[in-house]
Amino acid sequence: MRYVFPQEYLYKTIRDFFSESLTESELQSCIQAIQILEPPVAQLFWQVSDNKKGIYIVLEGKVRLLDNLENLITTCEVGATFGEVTLFKEIDCIPYIAKASYNLKLGYLPQEE
């Protein structure tokens, strides 16, 4: 089942993330590009070395970010983001992975090609 978020909710969430620095046209492009994902509970669904470049926004639930030994780094709750590091090759960061908690719904904004 594909979950649909109200456009107003996505609009506010994206605007909040970008600190209201988007034009109306850019905001509409983001809303059209956003993909709603529902990863399985307790499963690894993302890692920093993935080839998918983009930003993940927690819309519902929580995501646990873990190091390579699966030690908890942080928990991302509604409104939090991760994955931005994939957009900047020159940034050297600690590798991490993401695991889904119950009822997780994410908005994924892929990098434009």
Side-chain angles (χ1 to χ4, degrees), residues 1 7 29 31 37 43 52 55 59 64 74 85-86 103-104:
M1 175 175 83
Q7 187 161 344
S29 291
I31 288 174
L37 307 175
Q43 291 196 8
K52 290 184 178 179
I55 299 168
L59 301 172
R64 291 171 290 147
T74 192
V85 70
T86 63
N103 300 318
L104 177 63

Side-chain angles (χ1 to χ4, degrees), residues 47-60:
Q47 55 190 359
V48 84
S49 61
D50 278 350
N51 291 328
K52 290 184 178 179
K53 294 181 180 181
I55 299 168
Y56 293 82
I57 304 170
V58 179
L59 301 172
E60 285 184 12

Side-chain angles (χ1 to χ4, degrees), residues 27-86:
L27 186 56
Q28 289 303 320
S29 291
C30 285
I31 288 174
Q32 290 175 356
I34 199 166
Q35 300 168 24
I36 307 301
L37 307 175
E38 296 181 69
V41 175
Q43 291 196 8
L44 165 70
F45 67 90
W46 181 89
Q47 55 190 359
V48 84
S49 61
D50 278 350
N51 291 328
K52 290 184 178 179
K53 294 181 180 181
I55 299 168
Y56 293 82
I57 304 170
V58 179
L59 301 172
E60 285 184 12
K62 297 178 183 178
V63 172
R64 291 171 290 147
L65 300 183
L66 310 165
D67 66 16
N68 287 337
L69 299 174
E70 296 203 19
N71 296 310
L72 182 66
I73 297 170
T74 192
T75 300
C76 298
E77 297 187 14
V78 173
T81 63
F82 65 96
E84 298 91 338
V85 70
T86 63

